[in-house]
């Protein structure tokens, strides 16, 4: 029986999947299984079978349902996740196995590094650590260290997450509704459990930057960006409402409510017709935001939602340009260089 089950999810994208699978096959331990959940048939199917990889064919469904489909096939006590366009470094699962020898650990997040499109050919020579300490957070410290976990991005990047399978007990009815924030969903599962969260500064996962990233959306067309931004934020709100229903009356409820509020106010700032959303901000929302942050500058920024659409378009264009500049900076400072 394998100790670790690695679930690789692939939705429509085919070009990087073999590289992702190979990065799991080339681990320094062998006490694991690989399950690929994908919504297409491809010539890679023979390769997967030859290498003992389980392949689960699914239809058009939420990312949460993709995870459930993989979990139903998994035999491991610990589940590690990998997106089809990302990579594990060779020591990833060795470290996962080491961490989960402590039965009280429920969630482990290793650091990740960006790389540009082409798969590096020197994965075994990449050794990077972030500038924070290896941290074990027990149940009593989770609220106190919530900000630290946000600052170290513990809640994001599925390919950096390993979680004890038992934490998924009784969660499928919520997980199946999650559109794309499965990483955040697993983070809140860990917060709600009594088990420890481990935050590791060692880079064991590589995040591929390319034109089809869901989060790292690169598009030169402003109208396309507006449409993507509206759709993405609406799905984020839906996901967080699902998580809010799951953790009602917990100490972490306030963090989800704050994020939903922020998303609603951001949607309201989009120009017409992109601000026409079922998640409309109310006057009560603006008051709640101001009372929470006591920032006149932020309040004035959000009140631009009440200006004519042509003014909002100009203001949001600045938002778009800032986001593009930020993305370009991320591309420029990526530490993992392509090797020839």
């Amino acid at each position: 029986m394998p100790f670790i089950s690695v679930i690789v999810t692939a939705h429509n994208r085919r070009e990087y999947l073999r590289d992702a699978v190979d990065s799991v096959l080339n681990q320094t331990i062998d006490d694991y299984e690989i399950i690929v959940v994908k919504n297409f048939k491809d010539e890679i199917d023979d390769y997967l079978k030859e290498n003992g990889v389980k392949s689960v064919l699914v239809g058009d469904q939420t990312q949460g349902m993709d995870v459930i489909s993989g979990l139903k096939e998994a035999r491991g006590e610990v589940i590690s996740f990998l997106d089809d366009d990302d990579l594990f470094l060779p020591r990833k699962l060795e470290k996962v196995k080491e961490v989960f020898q402590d039965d009280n650990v429920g969630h482990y997040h290793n650091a990740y590094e960006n790389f540009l499109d082409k798969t590096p050919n020197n994965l075994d020579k990449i050794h990077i650590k972030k500038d924070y300490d290896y941290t074990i957070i027990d149940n009593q410290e989770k609220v106190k260290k919530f900000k630290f976990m946000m600052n170290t991005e513990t809640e994001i990047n599925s390919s950096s997450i390993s979680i004890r399978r038992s934490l998924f007990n009784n969660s499928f009815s919520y997980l199946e509704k999650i559109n794309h924030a499965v990483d955040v969903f697993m983070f809140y599962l860990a917060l709600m459990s009594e088990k420890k969260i481990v935050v590791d500064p060692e880079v064991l996962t590589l995040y591929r930057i390319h034109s089809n990233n869901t989060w790292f959306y690169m598009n030169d067309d402003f109208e396309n960006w507006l449409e993507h931004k509206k759709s993405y934020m609406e799905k984020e709100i839906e996901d967080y409402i699902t998580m809010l229903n799951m953790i009602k009356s917990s100490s972490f409820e306030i963090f989800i409510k704050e994020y939903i509020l922020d998303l609603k106010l951001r949607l309201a700032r989009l120009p017409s017709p992109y601000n026409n959303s079922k998640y409309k901000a109310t006057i009560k929302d603006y008051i709640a935001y101001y009372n929470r942050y006591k920032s006149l500058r932020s309040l004035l920024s959000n009140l631009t939602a009440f200006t004519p659409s042509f003014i909002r378009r100009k203001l949001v264009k600045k938002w778009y340009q800032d986001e593009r500049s930020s993305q370009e900076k991320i591309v420029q400072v990526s530490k993992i260089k392509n090797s020839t």
Side-chain angles (χ1 to χ4, degrees):
M1 187 74 70
F3 182 66
I4 303 168
S5 296
V6 179
I7 297 177
V8 183
T9 54
H11 190 84
N12 292 334
R13 297 183 299 213
R14 306 163 187 254
E15 61 268 37
Y16 304 119
L17 179 56
R18 178 161 175 170
D19 286 347
V21 171
D22 282 347
S23 77
V24 187
L25 290 171
N26 293 324
Q27 293 293 298
T28 56
I29 63 169
D30 56 12
D31 189 15
Y32 63 93
E33 65 177 353
I34 308 172
I35 302 162
V36 172
V37 180
K38 57 186 177 66
N39 68 336
F40 56 84
K41 292 183 178 181
D42 196 82
E43 58 266 18
I44 197 176
D45 291 341
D46 291 336
Y47 181 76
L48 298 178
K49 186 175 181 180
E50 290 168 5
N51 284 278
V53 177
K54 293 182 184 178
S55 183
V56 180
L57 183 65
V58 297
D60 188 17
Q61 57 185 22
T62 64
Q63 289 188 20
M65 277 302 302
D66 287 346
V67 170
I68 291 173
S69 298
L71 288 170
K72 288 180 177 178
E73 297 293 327
R75 297 176 295 157
E77 182 179 344
V78 174
I79 312 295
S80 292
F81 296 90
L82 181 63
D83 289 340
D84 56 346
D85 50 351
D86 294 342
L87 302 169
F88 283 171
L89 294 184
R91 282 196 62 247
K92 159 83 174 192
L93 296 185
E94 179 183 339
K95 191 66 175 290
V96 170
K97 185 175 181 179
E98 175 188 318
V99 170
F100 281 92
Q101 294 307 304
D102 181 348
D103 292 337
N104 291 315
V105 170
H107 184 282
Y108 167 72
H109 186 281
N110 60 262
Y112 66 94
E113 191 59 69
N114 301 322
F115 74 104
L116 301 181
D117 207 14
K118 183 181 176 184
T119 299
N121 59 15
N122 60 339
L123 297 182
D124 58 330
K125 292 181 173 59
I126 297 172
H127 299 288
I128 302 172
K129 282 194 174 182
K130 300 294 185 176
D131 60 352
Y132 51 87
D133 294 331
Y134 184 93
T135 306
I136 301 174
I137 302 168
D138 64 28
N139 194 41
Q140 290 71 35
E141 298 177 304
K142 289 175 181 175
V143 174
K144 180 181 177 181
K145 293 191 175 179
F146 188 87
K147 185 176 180 180
F148 165 78
M149 290 186 280
M150 294 295 102
N151 290 339
T152 55
E153 301 184 320
T154 306
E155 86 284 13
I156 63 170
N157 187 26
S158 296
S159 301
S160 291
I161 292 172
S162 297
I163 188 168
R164 198 170 294 276
R165 181 182 179 141
S166 59
L167 268 63
F168 285 102
N169 292 347
N170 305 315
S171 73
F172 281 14
S173 62
Y174 298 103
L175 179 55
E176 67 183 9
K177 299 174 185 176
I178 299 297
N179 294 293
H180 54 69
V182 291
D183 45 3
V184 182
F185 180 89
M186 290 186 283
F187 175 65
Y188 276 98
L189 280 183
L191 289 175
M192 294 294 292
S193 80
E194 295 184 354
K195 293 191 177 294
K196 301 173 186 175
I197 295 175
V198 176
V199 183
D200 190 349
E202 184 175 1
V203 172
L204 295 169
T205 302
L206 302 186
Y207 179 89
R208 190 191 306 264
I209 294 176
H210 58 91
S211 59
N212 290 322
N213 286 126
T214 302
W215 169 75
F216 198 90
Y217 181 75
M218 296 181 288
N219 195 300
D220 290 327
D221 185 87
F222 181 50
E223 296 300 325
N224 287 342
W225 180 87
L226 285 169
E227 185 60 44
H228 173 81
K229 187 62 67 176
K230 176 179 185 290
S231 174
Y232 187 88
M233 289 193 291
E234 286 180 334
K235 288 179 179 178
E236 281 274 281
I237 291 174
E238 290 169 7
D239 285 354
Y240 275 79
I241 289 174
T242 297
M243 288 184 266
L244 184 61
N245 290 331
M246 181 179 71
I247 69 162
K248 277 181 179 177
S249 303
S250 81
S251 302
F252 306 101
E253 186 177 14
I254 183 62
F255 301 115
I256 292 183
K257 286 182 175 179
E258 287 176 354
Y259 190 61
I260 292 173
L261 175 61
D262 183 65
L263 287 171
K264 287 174 68 177
L265 296 183
R266 283 174 175 265
L267 268 173
R269 288 162 54 190
L270 297 179
S272 300
Y274 303 103
N275 64 337
N276 185 21
S277 172
K278 61 181 177 181
Y279 301 111
K280 287 187 177 297
T282 64
I283 296 298
K284 185 178 179 181
D285 290 327
Y286 288 95
I287 294 172
Y289 189 90
Y290 177 73
N291 287 337
R292 176 65 182 171
Y293 297 104
K294 301 296 183 184
S295 169
L296 183 59
R297 181 177 180 181
S298 294
L299 179 64
L300 291 174
S301 176
N302 284 315
L303 288 177
T304 60
F306 297 97
T307 62
S309 185
F310 76 92
I311 295 178
R312 270 180 282 139
R313 177 171 287 272
K314 288 183 178 180
L315 294 171
V316 173
K317 192 73 174 282
K318 178 66 166 56
W319 175 9
Y320 161 74
Q321 291 168 344
D322 288 346
E323 189 168 291
R324 290 286 299 164
S325 296
S326 176
Q327 290 173 340
E328 289 168 4
K329 184 176 180 180
I330 290 173
V331 169
Q332 291 169 3
V333 301
S334 293
K335 294 178 182 177
I336 306 301
K337 305 299 181 182
N338 294 332
S339 300
T340 56

